[in-house]
């Protein structure tokens, strides 16, 4: 019964994190004014915005495929945690921007990584 619950939690967290990464990545790839503005507020070069968006879309794909290939999900969740650790660092260095979202998404990434790792 416990493994069934862990499996359900793994799927929910993977899909949730995957949807967040996909949504954020698409806005960066589309170079929406809001996405570009937020990135420039913390000192990210405009040319890096689509690169970061591409990484996020790739992470979403990794999380979704990771539902069927567990090791891919674990590696991708670890990469998401690193991505958001970097985002937190950029926010702290810039001393501006809304850091709360990066902290919450870092926590979601770590939670997803933990549950996926335990469920392998």
């Amino acid at each position: 019964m416990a493994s069934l619950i862990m499996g359900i939690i793994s799927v929910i967290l993977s899909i949730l994190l995957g949807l967040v990464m996909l949504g954020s990545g698409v806005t960066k790839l589309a170079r929406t004014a809001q996405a570009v503005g937020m990135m420039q507020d913390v000192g990210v070069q405009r040319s890096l915005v689509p690169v970061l968006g591409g990484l996020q879309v790739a992470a979403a794909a990794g999380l979704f495929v990771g539902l069927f290939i567990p090791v891919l999900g674990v590696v991708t969740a670890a990469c998401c945690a690193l991505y958001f650790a970097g985002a937190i660092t950029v926010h702290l260095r810039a001393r501006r921007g809304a850091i709360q979202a990066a902290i919450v998404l870092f926590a979601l990434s770590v939670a997803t990584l933990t549950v996926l790792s335990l469920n392998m």
Side-chain angles (χ1 to χ4, degrees), residues 25-51:
V26 168
T27 64
K28 287 179 180 76
L29 286 173
R31 295 183 179 126
T32 65
Q34 181 183 9
V36 172
M38 286 185 346
M39 299 297 276
Q40 287 182 323
D41 282 348
V42 294
V44 174
Q45 297 174 7
R46 186 179 185 93
S47 62
L48 289 179
V49 174
V51 174

Side-chain angles (χ1 to χ4, degrees), residues 3 5 7 18 26 30 54 73 79 82 88 90 94 106 114 116-117:
S3 67
I5 292 171
V26 168
C79 290
L82 291 173
I88 291 168
V90 167
F106 173 75
T114 302
L116 289 175
S117 297

Side-chain angles (χ1 to χ4, degrees), residues 86-102:
I88 291 168
T89 302
V90 167
H91 279 276
L92 290 173
R93 284 186 180 171
R95 298 185 190 266
R96 38 163 127 139
I99 195 171
Q100 298 87 348

Side-chain angles (χ1 to χ4, degrees), residues 2-27:
S3 67
L4 175 64
I5 292 171
M6 286 293 284
I8 292 169
I9 294 171
S10 295
V11 169
I12 291 170
L13 289 176
S14 293
I15 291 173
L16 180 62
L17 183 57
L19 290 173
V20 168
M21 296 301 281
L22 182 62
S24 180
V26 168
T27 64

Side-chain angles (χ1 to χ4, degrees), residues 58-115:
L63 288 163
F64 297 144
V65 174
L67 294 170
F68 305 99
I69 305 172
V71 70
L72 180 60
V74 171
V75 171
T76 304
C79 290
C80 289
L82 291 173
Y83 179 92
F84 288 112
I88 291 168
T89 302
V90 167
H91 279 276
L92 290 173
R93 284 186 180 171
R95 298 185 190 266
R96 38 163 127 139
I99 195 171
Q100 298 87 348
I103 292 170
V104 168
L105 294 173
F106 173 75
L108 175 61
S109 299
V110 171
T112 304
L113 172 60
T114 302
V115 172

